[in-house]
Amino acid sequence: MEINRRIFLGAMLYVVSASVLPSELKKVLKLNVFKSDAAFFNADQMTLVYDLANIMIPTTNTPGASDSHTAQVLDELMVSWASSSTQRQFTNFLAQFQSKAKGANNSNYFSLTKKEREAFVEYVDGNAFEKDRNEFSTAYKRIKALIFHIHYSSEEANPNFFLVPGGYKGNLTESELSAIHKRKYL
Amino acid sequence: MNKEYDVIIVGSGITGGWAAKEFCERGFNTLVLERGRNVEHRGPEYKDFQAPWELQNRGMPDEELADNGHYATLRKKGHLYKTDALHFFVDDKKHPYSFPKDKPFMWTRGYQLGGRSLTWGRQALRWSPMDFQANAKDGHGIPWPISYDDLAPWYSYVEKFIGVSANKDGLETLPDGEFQTPWEMSYAEQYISNNIAKRYTDRHLIIGRAANLTSPSQEQTALGRSKCQARSYCRRGCTFGAYFSSQSATLPAAQKTGNLTVVTDAIVERVDYDESSKKALGVTVIDTNTKERRQYKSRVVFMCASSLGTVQVLLNSKSETFPTGIANASGMLGRYILGHVTGVVASADVPGGEDKFAFGRRPIATYIPNYRHEKRADADFVRGFGFQTTAQHRSSTRPTAKEKGIGIIAKQNVGQPGPWRFRAFMYGEVLPYYDNVATLHPSKKDEWGMPLLHIDAEIKENERKMIKQAAKDIEEMLEAGGCTNIEVAATPQSKHIPMGKQVHEMGGACMGSDPNTSVLNGWGQAHDVPNLFVTDGACMASCATQNPSLTYMAITARAADYASKLLQRNII
Ligand SMILES: Cc1cc2nc3c(=O)[nH]c(=O)nc-3n(C[C@H](O)[C@H](O)[C@H](O)COP(=O)(O)OP(=O)(O)OC[C@H]3O[C@@H](n4cnc5c(N)ncnc54)[C@H](O)[C@@H]3O)c2cc1C
């Protein structure tokens, strides 16, 4: 294979978001703002991707996209996996997303409250799967699929994953299964 | 380096590994020539200890590959196109082959030490006596010159060495063998199996027969192999040596004897023929890296380069006596390209079992063996089909990435246990057709100067009729199995079904008793060239419905034993 790329194996030091907002505003917005550019996305784009991922898969009683560092992994994949057309598609999408958010809310996406941002992403999600078949919703669906793939293939989302199960049992009760999960081997 | 050997074996995959072991253990100075790179057992190319989050690009191959036309065949197969084992499959942009535009052929290859023994699905099934009788009985193809009884002891021999975990099912259509402890069925599989047994005497849902160790023998342990850990990451290579591959089993056994030489990065371009002795002299190879040619000589040549790989080399081995390829006096070389066909996929819910769960990743599916060998009143076709099936885990709700839904509610809905869902894939027998043929492309060559193989093969009327019947049968069986929500998808009669998709390509140098209509005799020995043997899938005269590799292994071990005796007596 002649293609030479930076290789991404999944293990990395995650760029941690740092808030540059005054603390009052921070409470209302609940927005993690990246202050420096990442591997592919610039700081603004990272802030948006991180926010989108968290709205799609929030932290509840189980880990969410921020716990699985989904945005940071996506950023790495943009360098190691994405073709130039995907790179273009995603950066265009992020720009369009910002301007659509502004059009719909009369305000910059980053200035919206958490609730408003969630409502807007939900609106985009609904349209993408129900009505629109355009470049914007196609790109949205791709980003969503990637965010889900990254999160649900992460260590955080798979606490009962066994690299070496030790055997197979096909007829267990729930308590037998939990006992196996607890002792971490068949 | 020594250029003269007793035996040259072309290819180091499932059959090449077996030939190497057999000749080395009988004391012959043996050379294995492999076109691919060296792959070390338990070396850095094995990815079996990577969790999903550790796979390169989370399992997704670099998009530039597809954009630049790489791995066209593998991309069409879908599930194999992942970074966990992509390096064990051939990129057909680098190694092109050819087919008519309206008959795409899917050729899934592995060019490396170990060939596809590293990535195979390990379903290890014997053929039945009926399978070897089929050609003679219904007049399609060339009658087999061997019977089940000829192979039976060799099946036992290879099963004991490779380790096959299976149940003794006592079926005439799928003879039992030398088995280790079988894998267990899931709740749902057992439920359907029991119900099917109540309704039919000729149809059975059984646990698959896996070349994965469940109770290793001393011989296997001595080779450094150990029990399967139910990870089902086999195609990444197995650090435990738990499934059978050339690397885990045959090559180390051959190596132990001190009689084995392996040369990798050596493409066999042709088998050299000596006009005066009327024997194969050895082979000419092209160095993969330098592109230089060199020759090796031997008393015997065993072709184990995989069915179509072998056909390509033989067709390319032209001489005065054999202007269309070595051992091709009959004109049959390249003819009767075979394979299995899938035209029906079914799935269904299995009732009950809400309180049942599965743990571990069983490395084998369940199986419904062919029950239609004999033409029945309701069948307007000959031969038959079986089904590869599974319900090893209960379904659970998947993330909703491909539909509407985000946030807390969408997240809560992920991973909820759902019903047990059973899936079945038809595996039908494609008849031996004279005009399903592989030839050398008249003008196109690969980067080493080898003419491309041009494969012109298709399924026909008989297979289309089989598909119709398979759809009816599986629906009936799932109903009898007690299933609900049955969905059966049959490929429409007008839709093209590519040959090769089931990776069990065979034929092209078939066995037969008559030198005028076949390339090889019952020992896999060329009718026209007594020291040339073909023991990979090219030698098959029909393809039955079972996964074929166990049969190739038995044929190879038997042929090596026969050739050894001829060598010892200086007959070849
Ligand atoms: C994903 C997958 C799943 C499968 N599952 C099953 C299964 O469950 N059961 C089953 O029975 N079969 C299965 N098969 C098929 C099985 O892998 C093959 O039948 C088997 O590997 C054939 O053995 P072979 O030795 O003929 O060829 P291979 O194992 O393909 O080995 C051929 C070797 O020859 C080398 N070679 C080719 N041309 C040349 C040349 N000109 N010079 C030098 N070397 C050459 C190749 O590089 C390769 O190493 C599966 C295959 C795949 C890919």
Side-chain angles (χ1 to χ4, degrees):
Chain A
M1 182 175 84
E2 284 83 19
I3 293 161
N4 251 330
R5 288 248 229 177
R6 182 157 132 187
I7 290 182
F8 175 57
L9 294 174
M12 57 182 277
L13 280 177
Y14 298 106
V15 184
V16 183
S17 59
S19 184
V20 289
L21 298 169
S23 62
E24 272 311 288
L25 202 54
K26 204 173 130 189
K27 267 188 211 149
V28 188
L29 297 185
K30 292 189 189 152
L31 181 73
N32 282 290
V33 178
F34 283 73
K35 58 179 178 182
S36 51
D37 294 349
F40 176 78
F41 294 123
N42 65 30
D44 259 10
Q45 290 167 331
M46 262 317 269
T47 305
L48 179 53
V49 169
Y50 187 91
D51 197 53
L52 275 175
N54 283 347
I55 289 173
M56 287 179 185
I57 312 172
T59 301
T60 53
N61 57 343
T62 57
S66 59
D67 308 296
S68 60
H69 308 285
T70 291
Q72 292 92 329
V73 173
L74 177 58
D75 175 62
E76 281 292 332
L77 289 175
M78 294 308 290
V79 179
S80 64
W81 160 82
S83 65
S84 46
S85 70
T86 297
Q87 290 173 341
R88 256 193 323 274
Q89 185 187 34
F90 284 16
T91 40
N92 288 345
F93 167 81
L94 296 176
Q96 265 187 301
F97 182 90
Q98 295 267 29
S99 76
K100 277 185 193 271
K102 195 163 187 179
N105 298 286
N106 250 334
S107 166
N108 188 315
Y109 179 80
F110 292 148
S111 312
L112 300 175
T113 64
K114 179 91 188 271
K115 272 209 154 49
E116 288 168 332
R117 296 200 310 277
E118 282 170 352
F120 183 66
V121 180
E122 236 164 78
Y123 164 78
V124 170
D125 189 72
N127 274 355
F129 288 93
E130 276 165 14
K131 291 197 264 178
D132 296 348
R133 286 202 199 286
N134 53 31
E135 241 176 72
F136 179 75
S137 54
T138 307
Y140 170 80
K141 285 192 249 185
R142 282 200 75 198
I143 290 210
K144 179 181 176 184
L146 267 176
I147 286 174
F148 275 60
H149 173 69
I150 295 167
H151 175 74
Y152 287 106
S153 63
S154 72
E155 186 166 9
E156 291 75 10
N158 292 283
N160 285 331
F161 172 78
F162 288 76
L163 195 55
V164 184
Y168 170 80
K169 289 275 167 211
N171 195 352
L172 296 165
T173 62
E174 197 165 1
S175 60
E176 285 169 332
L177 182 68
S178 340
I180 295 171
H181 284 164
K182 227 169 157 183
R183 67 175 181 265
K184 302 246 170 258
Y185 193 74
L186 184 67
Chain B
M1 182 201 278
N2 181 10
K3 296 257 175 93
E4 295 206 16
Y5 295 84
D6 293 325
V7 184
I8 287 176
I9 296 160
V10 182
S12 64
I14 289 190
T15 58
W18 261 101
K21 168 178 136 43
E22 294 308 294
F23 281 113
C24 286
E25 287 178 346
R26 285 169 176 75
F28 294 104
N29 190 11
T30 303
L31 171 67
V32 170
L33 292 166
E34 168 54 52
R35 67 175 297 155
R37 68 194 180 282
N38 180 40
V39 172
E40 208 183 303
H41 186 41
R42 304 192 175 100
E45 293 201 43
Y46 281 19
K47 308 284 180 208
D48 57 328
F49 269 95
Q50 289 188 354
W53 50 89
E54 290 166 335
L55 290 176
Q56 187 183 352
N57 294 337
R58 289 286 164 100
M60 301 183 298
D62 189 333
E63 281 200 314
E64 302 258 330
L65 290 171
D67 282 6
N68 291 303
H70 293 275
Y71 293 102
T73 302
L74 218 56
R75 277 188 284 123
K76 281 192 208 113
K77 285 192 69 67
H79 71 287
L80 297 175
Y81 190 59
K82 275 185 75 179
T83 55
D84 63 344
L86 193 59
H87 51 294
F88 289 151
F89 292 97
V90 163
D91 175 5
D92 29 24
K93 185 162 187 190
K94 186 150 179 74
H95 301 282
Y97 62 99
S98 149
F99 44 77
K101 270 208 171 70
D102 58 339
K103 295 184 211 164
F105 186 95
M106 293 172 76
W107 188 14
T108 306
R109 294 163 285 169
Y111 287 170
Q112 62 262 330
L113 191 71
R116 287 177 296 175
S117 76
L118 287 167
T119 56
W120 72 309
R122 307 158 315 282
Q123 184 81 267
L125 307 173
R126 289 188 180 203
W127 282 24
S128 75
M130 285 170 277
D131 295 313
F132 291 97
Q133 291 155 5
N135 285 7
K137 206 162 177 182
D138 60 32
H140 292 277
I142 306 300
W144 278 91
I146 54 172
S147 68
Y148 174 76
D149 291 341
D150 293 314
L151 273 195
W154 295 99
Y155 273 133
S156 294
Y157 179 74
V158 298
E159 282 162 348
K160 269 188 217 149
F161 179 79
I162 70 175
V164 178
S165 49
N167 187 43
K168 295 227 179 204
D169 298 297
L171 307 178
E172 196 194 346
T173 51
L174 195 74
D176 290 335
E178 311 291 330
F179 296 155
Q180 302 192 355
T181 318
W183 291 89
E184 79 173 42
M185 281 193 184
S186 70
Y187 155 80
E189 292 160 341
Q190 195 62 62
Y191 177 92
I192 298 177
S193 177
N194 293 346
N195 284 332
I196 286 183
K198 282 182 209 153
R199 166 77 84 87
Y200 303 99
T201 50
D202 62 341
R203 306 184 192 186
H204 311 270
L205 174 65
I206 61 168
I207 187 68
R209 299 177 173 182
N212 290 69
L213 303 181
T214 48
S215 24
S217 66
Q218 245 180 359
E219 184 182 35
Q220 287 152 352
T221 311
L223 286 169
R225 304 184 62 196
S226 55
K227 194 175 153 210
C228 176
Q229 299 295 313
R231 299 178 300 161
S232 204
Y233 287 160
C234 314
R235 70 161 182 256
R236 303 179 184 182
C238 182
T239 303
F240 295 96
Y243 76 87
F244 169 80
S245 67
S246 299
Q247 267 84 348
S248 70
T250 42
L251 291 180
Q255 206 90 53
K256 265 188 177 178
T257 64
N259 295 321
L260 178 69
T261 304
V262 177
V263 176
T264 55
D265 304 289
I267 301 171
V268 172
E269 181 190 34
R270 46 180 290 139
V271 177
D272 299 315
Y273 181 69
D274 181 15
E275 301 281 349
S276 56
S277 67
K278 305 206 177 308
K279 283 188 189 168
L281 204 59
V283 299
T284 299
V285 307
I286 308 168
D287 187 296
T288 319
N289 303 312
T290 64
K291 296 192 175 150
E292 277 165 4
R293 284 177 168 71
R294 58 179 187 270
Q295 287 179 312
Y296 294 96
K297 290 188 175 166
S298 64
R299 294 172 65 197
V300 173
V301 175
F302 256 60
M303 291 302 301
C304 297
S306 82
S307 316
L308 292 168
T310 284
V311 169
Q312 183 182 26
V313 174
L314 296 181
L315 287 169
N316 200 39
S317 306
K318 293 175 184 166
S319 60
E320 215 180 298
T321 307
F322 298 113
T324 60
I326 193 164
N328 194 23
S330 63
M332 291 295 154
L333 189 57
R335 300 223 164 257
Y336 298 110
I337 298 300
L338 300 156
H340 293 145
V341 60
T342 284
V344 177
V345 179
S347 61
D349 285 349
V350 182
E354 289 84 7
D355 53 346
K356 298 292 179 203
F357 297 85
F359 173 80
R361 296 180 293 276
R362 194 181 64 200
I364 196 71
T366 45
Y367 188 60
I368 300 173
N370 181 11
Y371 46 87
R372 281 195 170 273
H373 292 87
E374 307 298 333
K375 208 171 171 205
R376 307 264 170 101
D378 64 346
D380 54 355
F381 55 87
V382 292
R383 315 279 171 108
F385 46 81
F387 293 91
Q388 310 267 353
T389 61
T390 187
Q392 79 154 284
H393 278 273
R394 195 165 158 184
S395 67
S396 72
T397 45
R398 313 287 309 154
T400 54
K402 289 195 176 129
E403 48 195 88
K404 186 181 151 182
I406 55 168
I408 296 178
I409 295 175
K411 192 178 170 214
Q412 276 166 349
N413 288 335
V414 175
Q416 300 304 316
W420 289 88
R421 194 141 180 97
F422 183 79
R423 288 185 172 73
F425 304 85
M426 168 210 181
Y427 267 61
E429 172 166 5
V430 174
L431 286 178
Y433 296 114
Y434 176 82
D435 54 353
N436 273 353
V437 61
T439 51
L440 294 181
H441 195 282
S443 55
K444 289 189 186 160
K445 294 188 172 182
D446 67 15
E447 69 170 274
W448 296 273
M450 276 282 271
L452 301 194
L453 195 66
H454 180 78
I455 311 157
D456 182 351
E458 63 182 345
I459 66 154
K460 299 183 198 264
E461 198 58 30
N462 194 64
E463 293 74 33
R464 294 281 181 190
K465 288 178 177 167
M466 247 183 214
I467 289 171
K468 266 194 190 163
Q469 188 66 45
K472 278 190 213 158
D473 282 12
I474 192 68
E475 182 156 9
E476 185 194 297
M477 277 190 275
L478 291 175
E479 274 167 16
C483 298
T484 56
N485 290 328
I486 298 169
E487 285 172 22
V488 178
T491 309
Q493 297 285 305
S494 56
K495 195 174 172 206
H496 180 77
I497 298 179
M499 286 270 292
K501 197 172 176 197
Q502 264 46 60
V503 295
H504 298 155
E505 71 287 347
M506 292 172 234
C510 83
M511 285 187 184
S513 303
D514 182 354
N516 294 311
T517 57
S518 58
V519 179
L520 312 167
N521 66 18
W523 301 101
Q525 181 183 29
H527 288 299
D528 308 333
V529 185
N531 64 341
L532 174 64
F533 287 74
V534 175
T535 67
D536 56 28
C539 74
M540 306 297 272
S542 67
C543 71
T545 53
Q546 296 91 319
N547 308 49
S549 305
L550 187 76
T551 302
Y552 303 168
M553 295 187 225
I555 285 175
T556 302
R558 177 174 176 267
D561 179 64
Y562 174 74
S564 299
K565 286 174 183 150
L566 298 185
L567 279 170
Q568 276 151 2
R569 285 189 267 141
N570 271 324
I571 294 176
I572 52 174

